[in-house]
Amino acid sequence: MKTDFAQIVRPLLEWYGKNARTLPWREDPAPYRVWISEIMLQQTRVEAVLPYYERFLSALPSVGALAEAPEEQLLKLWEGLGYYSRVKNLQKAARMVVECWNGELPADAEELKKLPGVGDYTAGAIASIACGKPEPAVDGNVLRVCARLLASRENVGSPSVKRRCTELLRRVYPQGEEGAFTQAMMELGAMVCLPNGAPRCGECPLADLCAGRREGIAASLPVKTRNPARKIERKTVFLILCGERVALRKRPEGGLLGGLWEFPNVAGNLPAQCAERVLKKWEILPRTMEPTAEAKHVFTHLEWKMSGYTVSTGQTSPDFEWVPYDRLETSYAIPSAFKTFLNLLREHGGYVKI
Ligand code: SF4
């Protein structure tokens, strides 16, 4: 017999009451705070989010402050978290909330989904945790728990499976404990019913109710069809140094990492002769040119494989912004994709001087 979801509510809530981690967005689950936490937690671990969360909230404590923040401040607050479209959408949504709802996030999940960057999961999380609505928030963690509870071998990536889990959960939401139930499902997925074949069934409050455990197949669930392979892009990155300044340029708005700053780079892993030709095109006359260590950066559907050169030159080129080292990290948002190259500049406790 498959698990009856009505039976999971009490043991799950009891377990959550005793075992929930203390997290800042749980201590004060105001809609704005829950919203920011859920957006930060997309594709980022809780431990990594914590320092960013506190910093962001103290710099921009309200929807209104977020709506009015200058873009450079916003990108700086997000620097290191990656997936910058998240913070850009946050601001667009904040402006919409100010305009259409007087600065108060709506409590209804359907209304929340009208905001840029807010999908089913985030809307469910805000509506249930912050507003006490019986709205499930079903992400990969929750889908995994459901698939195991039901001993389901269906592909959890399919929209119909997600819809079914959402409906099963929606029917059993406990009145007055909606937020705790949403968070208890999330917490069980994060702390006990772990991915990659490692559920800790011995510690699980739902062990007696779980069909996956009973049938001995929990570790092999959920079934997922493979994602298509990531596209590889090769790049050559140039650290061009002139005196105590380094060349940067702004990435075009709208695309990947749009509007952020980067070290000049071109497609392909170029040998030195070709790299020199690129420099010539930029009207950079190198005094010295050394290859750097290689680096890679993985996005969701894309991987950059980067090689690079450190170049010293005596003259600047109008193609770039020439930034003094001491302003590089305080005033320019550089995506973490370039961190190997930024570290090169930082190494030995100061910036390399050539
Ligand atoms: Fe997951 Fe095991 Fe708990 Fe089932 S018993 S929900 S597989 S941890």
Side-chain angles (χ1 to χ4, degrees):
M1 213 186 78
K2 303 297 183 204
T3 302
D4 172 3
F5 272 31
Q7 292 183 14
I8 71 173
V9 177
R10 279 299 125 208
L12 187 60
L13 284 174
E14 211 169 285
W15 169 84
Y16 181 69
K18 290 182 192 143
N19 295 283
R21 287 169 293 172
T22 307
L23 298 170
W25 46 90
R26 287 183 178 163
E27 285 173 355
D28 174 7
Y32 177 65
R33 294 171 57 86
V34 173
W35 176 37
I36 301 296
S37 73
E38 289 300 336
I39 300 294
M40 282 191 174
L41 287 165
Q42 289 167 6
Q43 286 124 342
T44 313
R45 288 174 303 108
V46 167
E47 304 73 46
V49 160
L50 287 172
Y52 287 94
Y53 182 75
E54 302 290 5
R55 200 167 55 127
F56 194 95
L57 264 286
S58 59
L60 307 173
S62 64
V63 175
L66 171 57
E68 284 169 18
E71 187 180 53
E72 286 297 327
Q73 183 194 13
L74 211 56
L75 296 177
K76 201 71 205 150
L77 286 167
W78 207 264
E79 189 182 13
L81 276 174
Y83 303 98
Y84 286 84
S85 57
R86 293 184 291 173
V87 71
K88 291 183 178 176
N89 277 335
L90 267 177
Q91 185 168 55
K92 277 189 212 150
R95 288 177 179 160
M96 210 168 137
V97 172
V98 168
E99 230 170 78
C100 307
W101 289 288
N102 246 342
E104 298 282 333
L105 276 158
D108 181 76
E110 289 309 312
E111 296 284 286
L112 284 163
K113 278 190 252 176
K114 292 178 185 162
L115 298 171
V118 177
D120 294 342
Y121 169 80
T122 309
I126 301 169
S128 60
I129 299 170
C131 311
K133 303 277 181 184
E135 282 293 339
V138 178
D139 66 351
N141 276 341
V142 172
L143 278 171
R144 179 174 64 254
V145 175
C146 291
R148 288 174 174 170
L149 284 172
L150 296 166
S152 164
R153 288 190 173 85
E154 286 177 277
N155 171 23
V156 284
S158 104
S160 63
V161 169
K162 186 174 167 190
R163 269 198 304 276
R164 193 153 62 87
C165 289
T166 305
E167 278 322 303
L168 285 171
L169 290 168
R170 192 193 304 280
R171 278 187 225 147
V172 301
Y173 256 74
Q175 214 182 354
E177 293 172 289
E178 293 84 355
F181 186 61
T182 291
Q183 292 181 89
M185 282 298 288
M186 292 173 176
E187 192 78 348
L188 193 77
M191 305 305 289
V192 178
C193 195
L194 300 179
N196 306 321
R200 296 181 179 160
C201 302
E203 301 166 29
C204 182
L206 308 181
D208 292 342
L209 303 167
C210 178
R213 188 195 66 88
R214 213 165 36 242
E215 294 177 21
I217 58 169
S220 66
L221 296 175
V223 172
K224 271 189 223 165
T225 47
R226 277 186 169 280
N227 287 331
R230 279 194 191 99
K231 189 174 154 208
I232 307 275
E233 276 184 10
R234 295 179 187 279
K235 286 181 182 299
T236 302
V237 177
F238 292 87
L239 287 179
I240 310 172
L241 312 173
C242 182
E244 305 223 331
R245 291 180 296 165
V246 62
L248 288 188
R249 70 181 179 193
K250 205 168 199 182
R251 291 182 63 82
E253 294 291 343
L256 176 72
L257 308 175
L260 299 177
W261 292 87
E262 65 176 3
F263 299 113
N265 59 81
V266 292
N269 295 134
L270 303 186
Q273 266 187 337
C274 300
E276 278 170 14
R277 278 205 287 276
V278 171
L279 290 169
K280 200 166 163 199
K281 214 175 76 199
W282 288 335
E283 295 176 12
I284 302 279
L285 200 62
R287 279 184 188 149
T288 63
M289 186 172 112
E290 297 291 334
T292 66
E294 299 196 343
K296 76 168 182 177
H297 189 78
V298 178
F299 302 92
T300 313
H301 303 297
L302 179 69
E303 184 173 330
W304 283 357
K305 288 192 189 268
M306 294 172 279
S307 54
Y309 292 94
T310 306
V311 176
S312 73
T313 181
Q315 92 276 8
T316 56
S317 138
D319 288 346
F320 307 120
E321 178 111 346
W322 294 86
V323 178
Y325 297 154
D326 57 358
R327 290 195 49 222
L328 191 59
E329 291 184 76
T330 49
S331 311
Y332 291 80
I334 300 174
S336 56
F338 293 99
K339 84 166 173 277
T340 304
F341 301 96
L342 200 53
N343 285 342
L344 265 179
L345 285 178
R346 251 190 231 132
E347 72 189 2
H348 307 309
Y351 285 99
V352 179
K353 297 199 173 87
I354 296 179

